[in-house]
Amino acid sequence: MFLDYAAVFAPFVAFLIAGLFGRIIGYRGCQLITCFGVILAAIASMRLFLDLSLGEFEPRTLPVLQWIKIGNFDVSWALRLDSLSIVMMNVITIVSSCVHVYSVGYMSEDPSKGRFMAYLSLFTFAMLMLVTADNLLQLFFGWEGVGLASYLLIGFWFEKNSANAAAVKAFIVNRVGDFGLSLGIIACFILFGSIQFDAIFSQAPAKATAVFNFLGYDVHALTLVCLLLFVGAVGKSAQLGLHTWLPDAMEGPTPVSALIHAATMVTAGVFLVARFSPVFEYAPDALMVVTVVGALTAIVAATIGMTQFDIKRVIAYSTMSQLGYMFFALGVSAYSAAMFHLVTHAFFKALLFLGAGSVIHAMHHEQDMRKMGGIWNKIPVTYVLMWIGSLALAGVPFFAGYYSKDLIIESAFADHTWFGNFAFWIGIVAALLTAFYSWRLIIMTFHGAPRWQHAHDDHHHAHTHHANDDHHHDHGHHEPHESPPVMLLPLVVLAIGALFSGAWLYNAFAGTPHHAPAGQHEISTTEHHGDVASASKDAHHKEMTRDRFFGNSLHILPENDTVAAAHNVPKWVKVLPIIMGAAGIFLAYVFFMWLPQLPALCVRIFAPIHNFFFRKWYFDELYDVLFVKTSFWLGKFFWQKGDQATIDGLGPDGISARTKDAAGVLSRFQSGFVYQYAFVMIIGVIVLISWIYWRQA
Amino acid sequence: MEGFPLLSLITFLPLIGAIALLFVRPSASRQLALFVSTLVFGLSVYLLLGFDKGDADFQFVENFKWLPSLNISYHLGVDGISIFFVVLSALLVPLCILASWNSIYMQVKEYMIAFLALETFMIGSFVALDAMLFYVFFEGVLIPMFLIIGIWGGKRRVYSAFKFFLYTLLGSVLMLIALLYMYGKAGTTDIPSLIATPFPREVQIWLWLAFFASFAVKMPMWPVHTWLPDAHVEAPTAGSVILAGILLKMGGYGFLRFSLPMFPEASEYFAPLVFALSIIAIIYTSLVALVQTDMKKLIAYSSVAHMGFVTMGIFTFNIEGISGALFQMISHGFISGALFLCVGVVYDRLHTRDLDRYGGLAKNMPVYATLFMIFMLGSVGLPGTSGFVGEFLSLLGAFKANTWVAFLAAIGVVLGAAYMLRLYRIVVFGEQKHADAAAMKDANKLEIFIFLPLLILVFWLGVSPAYVMERVEPTLQKLTTQVTAGQNLIPQRPSLAGVEGDIKER
């Protein structure tokens, strides 16, 4: 019981202590208390996972405190523990623990490292509140809370103008998504009379034909609710349309990118849709929209990712693309496949980001891959870990990403709708691009001739001006150097996840009673690790299946069960993604290793297309004109032409001018002595009351 | 304590204190004013503790004949609508006196007298249950406020005070005429009796408009809002705190106390107008706030936008919308007050309100930056702060009444984040461009002490608003029943068409 609460509140307590008493307990105290808090939460979460995978878990909701109650509107703070939230809690706390420990090393030179650790813990708490919510409003609290933490951490180096701009952009673009989410919450309340999950989910089938009048149109009620919620998911998970904040968010310190902008916060949208599977199942049009948006995001992000040079931005676009995969999996009702990819992705993407951080650390704060190269033997551990992460990302067999990504692609194929097919082919193409840009990154960063020696001197000068940068390194030697153990150890933990989590969890996320053996042969690998992999202990007494693992926390109509159908897809569908991945790796070697003049040639030949991709499809420019500039222009217009010229001009200023013109006598009253006005008013009131009194008498 | 005139004591103790101030040395005036206002706050807390949360009716009622021949009585009482405004007024005044401790050094005694007199008028207008008495207090508030802006204000105080005067005069004259008319018809100015008096529809419409003129200026609603930015800019910090914290709430209070229960049909008739003006206020003034370069003007415009949520919520006529509006008023009372105090802290040091003269304060003023951040987030309506509860419930109520209204108002939530984050980014983040701004000292103990109660309120009412909600709900339930019964309508226009009936089989 205590541990259940600690799983959520330990990071919060740590945040309060580090935030309020940071100066008293010092840096070391802040680091210790926050790491302790989040590791405690991780242990408590793993305990729940253990119960769950042993089949000894009863879903439960722990009460905390009443929140808002007025009329029929009644919500409370509570912790809902079920399979879905426990999976999320484990992802969050494990990755967060790794990132906390890593940050101790990564931020060691930063004067504000206490504040940094406090923010990380605040984020962890908000994210845990989000996933353990038992109603939409608490989910919204977590949703905005992680947005706040993201804002604070992106803008952590607050003296950097670009960091501030990115932080504000992230917050406001997310607010646009929250605009949809909050309307969706309200629509839920009006439709279902409650925003408790249980009440909503139990009524959803009965409302399958309900119609709702929204903005004057009669629309299918469940589709409306789902789409409004999905707008929120699009914002938080950086899907096409509201994605522009994510690449800019890379302004934040690298551990932040790993934790928030890869592993956890950006997957909140996926979690939301999965959580609402009992409603989405009855809103096929909404599922169609989710699929199409997800598929388009997957491909658009991949095309941009191919062309970028900032190592973190490449990984950011890769994240966006992988989130696209998760969303189209949700759209074809393969909720467990999306959750599966969410888990494996959290491991390998956090690994890639922290690995990139280790590279940046080694390169004395250089992020441009054009200024790297030839460092693989200088930082061998990082190099190997980056390989593991990339292999998992590219979906190379038996790495984690292989299981989850293939399952998604197969499920899309098994959906047999036009959008399922669309998503399937996009998934295939994006798999090629994923492998291509991943090895582009590896080759440009680690191989070839070193391009950093002369470039670095310029950078060194620039660096001295940045008083508050990533870290102040001893610039006496310019050789790239391997990171300290406190940074490498968390990477190793994540690498274990990137290597084995796919095989461990396959049965729980994809196993169906008839086809469980599909993942059987990998089970042997689980013997290497016993930490999260308690699923394997279960194998001897009862087969773990998706239905058993998730219980009621996911709801799939039998005719929509694409994950089950995915086991029966033709052989070529299973093999094609692997071939595409291998082809992508091969192409990357051709382009960047064996024929290094080829990329420049391609850029010249396909200049317009390359430019279009490199400029990120011009989303930023378009939005700047459409929204940012327009808002400021309108604001100026309303202020100067509306308030000052029209309202004041016709109103008080105009009247006073006319009065002055008409009666010079009156102008003496406008003496500016407020006493006079006040005095006249009192006199007026007295006269009036006397008059009434006198008349009555 | 039965029969003890607690409300009268709370109302007039500040005035007694003001008179006492006349006889003390100017150097002791700060201490005496603080003592009196703290005592009043203590009494208001006592009042709150004695308030029966299950009772929808007026409590602590005092009713004496004042002008018997006119049937005007001295009638006081509090209910769920007014109780928290009384406490809020009593809380803000001592904080204002503390905030003025060092920044006001001219005519201190007169300043303190003005503030205590102001407190009497503010509390009086919330507890008055006779329309005439209410009118006296309601208008009386203007006098000390004029003085505070006009004497201790900034450079353009004359223009601002004049504008303030012109607007409010226009509104209050019309309201007075309407009150006199109602008195002629009902033979009384007793508020509960007036509520019980049914007026014909055509009459209601004219009366509603007359009251609206007064309350809309006070709110202020678009397009009669332009006095507010000027008044705020010129007022001293404490004046702004009271102006934003309490005076703006009198319009909303007036709608709840007069317009809705007395003229339910007219309120229904004019609801679309109010919605339209509220939406314009929310979007228009948010955009205007986005381009301001004066810190106080920016927050003043944001207040207009926030009050747009209030008027919108009130005219939804459902319990969620109205309670949201009321909660928003209470929460805005201390959040905007705190924001003006935040401006005051740096204004006292640098004597400019120009955004660009600041920058990078997070470095030399970390405690201040944290406090400012929290109140900024409260203003943005982040869940977990009190700003969220009111904003969300008003949106919910609006959605029930009309989805378009909610849809457009929700845009204001996005814009609200945009202008507040811009303000914060320019002032607190960024590089330290100016040596004098970079040399400013962090918030001192006194300043932190002033912020502390407001800080507690932001989180307390954000995480657990039940204390307020329980106490306002019975009164508001009664009000909504009254209003909807008066409108002779089905309580809600159904925005949910045919939930049970199937229109399309999918």
Side-chain angles (χ1 to χ4, degrees):
Chain A
M1 195 65 173
F2 167 76
L3 270 182
D4 292 351
Y5 283 105
V8 175
F9 289 103
F12 182 61
V13 173
F15 156 71
L16 284 182
I17 295 171
L20 290 175
F21 309 110
R23 287 181 199 183
I24 301 166
I25 59 177
Y27 298 142
R28 193 55 70 188
C30 286
Q31 289 165 345
L32 282 175
I33 191 80
T34 51
C35 288
F36 173 75
V38 71
I39 290 171
L40 179 64
I43 291 168
S45 302
M46 285 190 237
R47 192 178 134 267
L48 289 168
F49 190 85
L50 194 71
D51 285 353
L52 181 64
S53 46
L54 293 176
E56 290 161 7
F57 183 77
E58 271 303 303
R60 53 182 180 259
T61 302
L62 308 177
V64 177
L65 183 72
Q66 185 181 68
W67 191 5
I68 303 177
K69 181 179 181 312
I70 188 88
N72 297 326
F73 189 84
D74 186 357
V75 289
S76 296
W77 303 97
L79 306 182
R80 179 192 173 102
L81 303 177
D82 65 3
S83 312
L84 200 57
S85 55
I86 290 171
V87 168
M88 291 300 291
M89 285 162 75
N90 277 279
V91 171
I92 295 160
T93 53
I94 292 170
V95 176
S96 184
S97 301
C98 293
V99 168
H100 270 77
V101 174
Y102 180 91
S103 301
V104 170
Y106 191 82
M107 302 296 282
S108 58
E109 317 266 331
D110 196 288
S112 305
K113 49 186 174 276
R115 185 165 59 97
F116 184 78
M117 301 305 284
Y119 287 170
L120 282 184
S121 286
L122 172 67
F123 167 80
T124 309
F125 165 68
M127 192 70 204
L128 288 168
M129 286 297 273
L130 193 166
V131 298
T132 55
D134 87 321
N135 61 70
L136 273 168
L137 212 63
Q138 184 183 330
L139 183 139
F140 192 64
F141 165 81
W143 196 267
E144 294 258 295
V146 292
L148 167 68
S150 162
Y151 162 78
L152 292 171
L153 285 165
I154 296 170
F156 182 73
W157 292 311
F158 58 81
E159 287 173 69
K160 256 169 91 183
N161 205 28
S162 55
N164 288 327
V168 171
K169 184 174 176 183
F171 197 93
I172 291 172
V173 174
N174 268 298
R175 271 259 153 163
V176 176
D178 297 348
F179 160 84
L181 181 56
S182 53
L183 289 180
I185 294 171
I186 294 171
C188 263
F189 176 68
I190 289 169
L191 187 66
F192 299 107
S194 171
I195 54 168
Q196 298 289 327
F197 291 154
D198 288 331
I200 294 172
F201 299 158
S202 62
Q203 290 180 62
K207 306 269 186 196
T209 54
V211 170
F212 197 98
N213 190 296
F214 185 67
L215 306 183
Y217 299 96
D218 282 333
V219 291
H220 183 233
L222 295 185
T223 305
L224 175 79
V225 166
C226 288
L227 287 179
L228 286 172
L229 296 178
F230 181 60
V231 171
V234 168
K236 195 60 80 194
S237 294
Q239 293 299 286
L240 200 63
L242 296 177
H243 65 281
T244 53
W245 65 271
L246 183 60
D248 290 17
M250 298 302 124
E251 287 290 341
T254 307
V256 174
S257 312
L259 175 62
I260 302 185
H261 306 120
T264 56
M265 183 185 84
V266 288
T267 62
V270 180
F271 167 77
L272 173 65
V273 177
R275 174 60 90 199
F276 267 73
S277 59
V279 184
F280 272 87
E281 280 297 286
Y282 296 96
D285 291 349
L287 286 175
M288 179 189 74
V289 174
V290 173
T291 313
V292 173
V293 171
L296 289 176
T297 307
I299 191 80
V300 168
T303 60
I304 303 173
M306 278 192 325
T307 60
Q308 301 298 309
F309 291 109
D310 183 316
I311 184 169
K312 283 180 72 182
R313 280 185 191 241
V314 173
I315 306 177
Y317 280 108
S318 147
T319 303
M320 188 179 146
S321 175
Q322 298 304 308
L323 289 167
Y325 273 96
M326 295 176 211
F327 272 99
F328 77 66
L330 295 167
V332 297
S333 297
Y335 305 104
S336 66
M339 291 303 297
F340 192 16
H341 200 51
L342 188 160
V343 174
T344 58
H345 176 259
F347 285 114
F348 63 70
K349 193 52 68 68
L351 173 63
L352 281 172
F353 258 121
L354 294 184
S358 181
V359 170
I360 295 166
H361 191 261
M363 298 300 295
H364 307 284
H365 209 58
E366 179 57 68
Q367 302 196 7
D368 192 332
M369 296 192 298
R370 285 170 297 192
K371 294 175 186 162
M372 297 179 180
I375 53 171
W376 68 272
N377 50 1
K378 301 217 164 37
I379 46 172
V381 182
T382 305
Y383 177 63
V384 170
L385 292 166
M386 288 293 276
W387 258 88
I388 293 173
S390 299
L391 287 167
L393 171 62
V396 170
F398 314 123
F399 288 87
Y402 159 72
Y403 296 95
S404 53
K405 194 196 258 181
D406 272 23
L407 184 65
I408 288 178
I409 292 176
E410 288 159 18
S411 304
F413 181 84
D415 191 49
H416 297 303
T417 54
W418 69 264
F419 52 87
N421 262 317
F422 174 72
F424 167 72
W425 286 109
I426 289 215
I428 293 288
V429 176
L432 174 82
L433 299 181
T434 306
F436 178 75
Y437 64 64
S438 299
W439 264 264
R440 173 177 176 267
L441 184 149
I442 287 199
I443 296 166
M444 283 187 79
T445 307
F446 293 103
H447 293 278
R451 299 179 294 277
W452 41 271
Q453 257 141 354
H454 57 281
H456 195 75
D457 289 333
D458 307 342
H459 183 72
H460 181 59
H461 287 298
H463 198 170
T464 49
H465 295 293
H466 269 283
N468 198 6
D469 230 329
D470 218 4
H471 66 173
H472 303 269
H473 215 275
D474 174 16
H475 288 278
H477 65 104
H478 287 182
E479 280 293 293
H481 57 97
E482 188 60 275
S483 301
V486 69
M487 286 168 67
L488 292 178
L489 186 73
L491 288 179
V492 172
V493 173
L494 292 170
I496 291 166
L499 281 168
F500 304 115
S501 65
W504 286 336
L505 298 171
Y506 186 82
N507 281 347
F509 284 78
T512 48
H514 314 294
H515 292 278
Q520 196 77 318
H521 57 285
E522 285 90 21
I523 285 230
S524 56
T525 53
T526 58
E527 283 159 17
H528 298 293
H529 282 278
D531 108 41
V532 199
S534 36
S536 62
K537 291 182 187 163
D538 189 34
H540 64 271
H541 83 93
K542 198 176 173 190
E543 197 70 68
M544 179 51 80
T545 64
R546 178 199 60 189
D547 293 341
R548 201 166 146 245
F549 183 77
F550 278 104
N552 293 326
S553 63
L554 291 179
H555 182 77
I556 305 146
L557 295 180
E559 64 269 30
N560 286 354
D561 195 350
T562 48
V563 172
H567 299 301
N568 301 322
V569 295
K571 195 81 185 155
W572 66 269
V573 173
K574 291 179 188 255
V575 178
L576 193 56
I578 304 170
I579 296 174
M580 294 308 255
I585 298 172
F586 176 74
L587 275 177
Y589 269 96
V590 171
F591 269 68
F592 299 100
M593 197 85 147
W594 299 325
L595 298 170
Q597 67 277 28
L598 205 54
L601 188 69
C602 283
V603 167
R604 236 186 347 234
I605 296 172
F606 302 107
I609 301 177
H610 175 266
N611 217 25
F612 188 62
F613 291 167
F614 186 67
R615 293 273 163 190
K616 305 168 259 175
W617 296 45
Y618 293 100
F619 270 102
D620 278 326
E621 288 80 358
L622 183 72
Y623 285 179
D624 189 49
V625 174
L626 273 184
F627 302 115
V628 182
K629 290 223 165 64
T630 313
S631 295
F632 278 94
W633 183 84
L634 271 176
K636 275 225 164 63
F637 177 80
F638 285 148
W639 181 35
Q640 286 162 355
K641 303 291 176 223
D643 269 21
Q644 290 181 346
T646 312
I647 296 175
D648 281 354
L650 296 176
D653 296 354
I655 291 169
S656 86
R658 295 298 84 73
T659 317
K660 271 182 186 163
D661 295 347
V665 187
L666 274 178
S667 68
R668 272 199 281 155
F669 279 91
Q670 296 169 7
S671 52
F673 289 108
V674 191
Y675 325 105
Q676 291 188 358
Y677 302 144
F679 182 68
V680 168
M681 250 189 70
I682 301 171
I683 302 270
V685 172
I686 293 171
V687 167
L688 211 66
I689 291 176
S690 319
W691 176 69
I692 299 164
Y693 189 76
W694 171 78
R695 203 189 59 166
Q696 288 287 319
Chain B
M1 290 297 276
E2 194 60 37
F4 181 78
L6 184 58
L7 283 181
S8 292
L9 185 63
I10 291 175
T11 309
F12 290 104
L13 189 59
L15 198 63
I16 296 166
I19 294 166
L21 269 176
L22 291 171
F23 304 103
V24 300
R25 285 175 292 117
S27 57
S29 55
R30 290 188 178 101
Q31 283 83 351
L32 182 61
L34 182 64
F35 174 73
V36 171
S37 57
T38 313
L39 194 61
V40 173
F41 175 63
L43 287 171
S44 78
V45 170
Y46 183 71
L47 177 79
L48 187 59
L49 293 177
F51 187 83
D52 176 4
K53 65 180 175 184
D55 189 355
D57 274 321
F58 293 106
Q59 303 179 29
F60 299 97
V61 175
E62 297 167 32
N63 199 348
F64 309 102
K65 294 278 173 242
W66 181 24
L67 302 171
S69 55
L70 295 180
N71 202 13
I72 293 174
S73 45
Y74 176 81
H75 191 178
L76 304 183
V78 286
D79 64 356
I81 298 174
S82 52
I83 177 81
F84 288 102
F85 290 121
V86 174
V87 180
L88 186 62
S89 310
L91 169 68
L92 286 183
V93 171
L95 295 183
C96 281
I97 288 170
L98 281 175
S100 313
W101 206 263
N102 299 318
S103 59
I104 299 290
Y105 40 86
M106 278 169 51
Q107 291 162 302
V108 180
K109 186 160 135 180
E110 288 75 7
Y111 182 85
M112 296 300 164
I113 291 174
F115 253 91
L116 289 180
L118 184 62
E119 184 170 16
T120 288
F121 289 129
M122 289 190 304
I123 295 179
S125 41
F126 291 123
V127 298
L129 289 186
D130 184 283
M132 260 320 150
L133 193 61
F134 168 80
Y135 188 80
V136 172
F137 284 127
F138 188 72
E139 297 302 323
V141 164
L142 301 179
I143 301 167
M145 202 64 215
F146 276 140
L147 299 177
I148 289 167
I149 297 177
I151 298 175
W152 295 275
K155 293 191 190 75
R156 293 177 75 226
R157 55 179 188 255
V158 176
Y159 173 79
S160 301
F162 165 66
K163 212 167 173 179
F164 186 26
F165 178 75
L166 201 70
Y167 269 120
T168 38
L169 184 75
L170 169 91
S172 49
V173 165
L174 292 175
M175 184 170 86
L176 185 62
I177 295 169
L179 267 180
L180 292 177
Y181 177 87
M182 288 162 73
Y183 173 62
K185 288 286 167 195
T188 177
T189 53
D190 188 55
I191 291 175
S193 315
L194 286 176
I195 291 174
T197 313
F199 290 99
R201 187 184 161 84
E202 314 77 65
V203 177
Q204 278 195 21
I205 285 179
W206 287 106
L207 293 175
W208 188 92
L209 281 172
F211 275 85
F212 180 70
S214 177
F215 298 147
V217 170
K218 273 272 162 56
M219 275 311 287
M221 291 176 75
W222 186 89
V224 287
H225 65 282
T226 58
W227 64 269
L228 184 71
D230 285 310
H232 268 309
V233 164
E234 299 310 324
T237 300
S240 286
V241 171
I242 294 294
L243 195 56
I246 307 295
L247 262 56
L248 298 194
K249 310 304 174 296
M250 290 187 161
Y253 173 75
F255 282 130
L256 290 174
R257 184 65 84 219
F258 294 89
S259 304
L260 255 57
M262 291 182 194
F263 324 120
E265 283 181 75
S267 297
E268 222 272 327
Y269 179 78
F270 284 112
L273 172 77
V274 175
F275 283 154
L277 294 179
S278 308
I279 296 298
I280 294 174
I282 291 169
I283 294 179
Y284 176 111
T285 50
S286 295
L287 287 168
V288 174
L290 199 57
V291 297
Q292 296 306 310
T293 52
D294 180 311
M295 290 163 89
K296 272 189 154 182
K297 244 185 184 160
L298 195 156
I299 299 172
Y301 274 112
S302 86
S303 292
V304 181
H306 280 124
M307 290 301 109
F309 278 96
V310 172
T311 45
M312 177 184 83
I314 290 175
F315 282 84
T316 59
F317 309 124
N318 55 49
I319 184 76
E320 293 90 352
I322 294 182
S323 63
L326 184 57
F327 199 88
Q328 169 86 330
M329 283 197 272
I330 297 164
S331 151
H332 180 264
F334 52 82
I335 291 180
S336 67
L339 285 173
F340 279 114
L341 287 170
C342 284
V343 176
V345 167
V346 288
Y347 184 82
D348 285 347
R349 287 161 172 69
L350 215 57
H351 298 285
T352 174
R353 299 179 308 266
D354 189 359
L355 288 180
D356 290 324
R357 288 283 289 107
Y358 296 93
L361 298 191
K363 195 153 184 90
N364 52 320
M365 305 176 75
V367 175
Y368 171 77
T370 310
L371 290 166
F372 196 177
M373 166 71 76
I374 291 166
F375 294 118
M376 187 263 296
L377 294 171
S379 172
V380 166
L382 203 80
T385 65
S386 61
F388 171 71
V389 179
E391 200 171 77
F392 180 80
L393 286 176
S394 338
L395 270 180
L396 176 61
F399 199 97
K400 268 189 172 178
N402 184 324
T403 48
W404 265 111
V405 173
F407 182 82
L408 293 171
I411 294 174
V413 178
V414 180
L415 293 173
Y419 61 71
M420 287 312 286
L421 292 187
R422 173 178 168 271
L423 166 72
Y424 194 81
R425 178 184 163 187
I426 297 177
V427 174
V428 180
F429 288 156
E431 283 180 50
Q432 297 185 320
K433 288 169 292 190
H434 308 283
D436 50 355
M440 293 196 298
K441 287 214 166 56
D442 205 349
N444 58 37
K445 287 212 177 74
L446 175 65
E447 284 161 340
I448 295 171
F449 178 78
I450 295 170
F451 282 118
L452 211 56
L454 306 174
L455 192 71
I456 292 168
L457 282 174
V458 168
F459 287 120
W460 177 29
L461 297 185
V463 173
S464 172
Y467 189 84
V468 172
M469 285 300 181
E470 284 169 354
R471 281 162 182 77
V472 303
E473 185 166 4
T475 311
L476 293 184
Q477 287 285 12
K478 191 177 139 205
L479 177 70
T480 46
T481 345
Q482 254 170 15
V483 174
T484 42
Q487 290 167 352
N488 293 322
L489 291 167
I490 317 142
Q492 234 84 61
R493 252 168 300 153
S495 63
L496 182 61
V499 171
E500 306 308 331
D502 53 333
I503 297 203
K504 277 179 252 130
E505 204 54 61
R506 298 181 66 102

